[in-house]
Amino acid sequence: MLKVKAGNLDLMGLLFERYHKPLFGFLYHTTGQVAHSEDLVQTVFYRMLKYRHTFSGEGEFRTWMYHLARNVVIDAHRKNSKTSYQYDMASVMENMGVSPDAEAKIEREQQNEMLQRALQLLSIEHREVLVLSRFQELSYKEIAEILKTSEGNIKIKVHRAMKELKEIFLKISE
């Protein structure tokens, strides 16, 4: 990213190749919409170019990228506050090229759908920390930098979010 910042814009394609899938995963788990998430990925990379001067190189690139992505989601939510987020797991599984045994696939899809419904019922703050920590596998330190809070606070938020997710999931699966 430092080379992109210095003017070598051709390297933006390399960053896109490396990070568009994990970024899509974060955005999808945050919004629940495949097409909307794909659009948001494009918006994040556009903002990376537009705001490349803000990347200092002191922290990790991923932290900066997810911070931008988080702002894109917030902005999109403000614009479309009436939008109801729906999870389309079949489309995501198809896009990922998953084609295991039919019975196992159906059972896994059902579990994923219940998990996605449970995630959808969480507050945006709880959903965000879970997606960053569990799906994107960011460290608590990285998440704390993204959310501009302490690492201890993130640990507490993740613990509470997991507890709430478990309660919701159990209610849905009854």
Side-chain angles (χ1 to χ4, degrees):
M1 187 62 203
L2 289 173
K3 290 181 181 179
V4 171
K5 180 180 177 180
N8 191 349
L9 301 182
D10 293 339
L11 292 176
M12 197 66 190
L14 179 63
L15 290 174
F16 182 82
E17 287 302 315
R18 285 186 184 164
Y19 293 103
H20 79 277
K21 286 182 182 179
L23 188 57
F24 171 81
F26 167 71
L27 294 168
Y28 172 73
H29 288 293
T30 303
T31 67
Q33 296 178 337
V34 172
H36 186 57
S37 298
E38 290 170 349
D39 292 341
L40 292 177
V41 167
Q42 299 301 320
T43 303
V44 171
F45 278 95
Y46 168 76
R47 285 196 185 176
M48 280 184 206
L49 277 173
K50 185 176 179 181
Y51 298 111
R52 64 185 180 268
H53 65 278
T54 65
F55 181 71
S56 65
E58 292 177 16
E60 268 196 61
F61 168 73
R62 285 187 333 159
T63 303
W64 182 74
M65 178 186 72
Y66 283 116
H67 184 74
L68 283 177
R70 181 174 183 262
N71 288 338
V72 165
V73 169
I74 291 168
D75 291 348
H77 184 69
R78 284 183 189 144
K79 285 181 184 177
N80 305 317
S81 61
K82 295 179 184 177
T83 301
S84 171
Y85 294 119
Q86 299 294 321
Y87 284 87
D88 182 8
M89 284 309 292
S91 177
V92 171
M93 297 287 276
E94 183 179 314
N95 287 342
M96 293 172 58
V98 178
S99 59
D101 180 53
E103 277 186 51
K105 182 178 178 182
I106 291 170
E107 188 172 325
R108 189 168 40 250
E109 284 179 2
Q110 289 172 344
Q111 291 288 327
N112 280 334
E113 286 176 17
M114 285 192 300
L115 177 60
Q116 295 306 329
R117 276 189 271 152
L119 272 171
Q120 188 178 18
L121 295 173
L122 286 174
S123 67
I124 187 74
E125 294 84 15
H126 281 165
R127 189 174 342 140
E128 186 175 60
V129 295
L130 285 181
V131 168
L132 290 170
S133 66
R134 300 301 189 246
F135 294 100
Q136 300 303 312
E137 299 177 353
L138 295 179
S139 69
Y140 290 150
K141 181 180 178 189
E142 290 172 313
I143 298 169
E145 289 175 26
I146 292 167
L147 301 181
K148 301 203 182 306
T149 188
S150 70
E151 192 173 339
N153 190 9
I154 295 300
K155 289 178 184 178
I156 291 169
K157 285 183 178 190
V158 169
H159 175 76
R160 289 178 180 163
M162 287 296 291
K163 183 178 177 184
E164 183 181 350
L165 181 65
K166 181 180 177 181
E167 291 170 3
I168 294 169
F169 186 82
L170 291 174
K171 285 180 186 177
I172 289 173
S173 62
E174 290 178 346

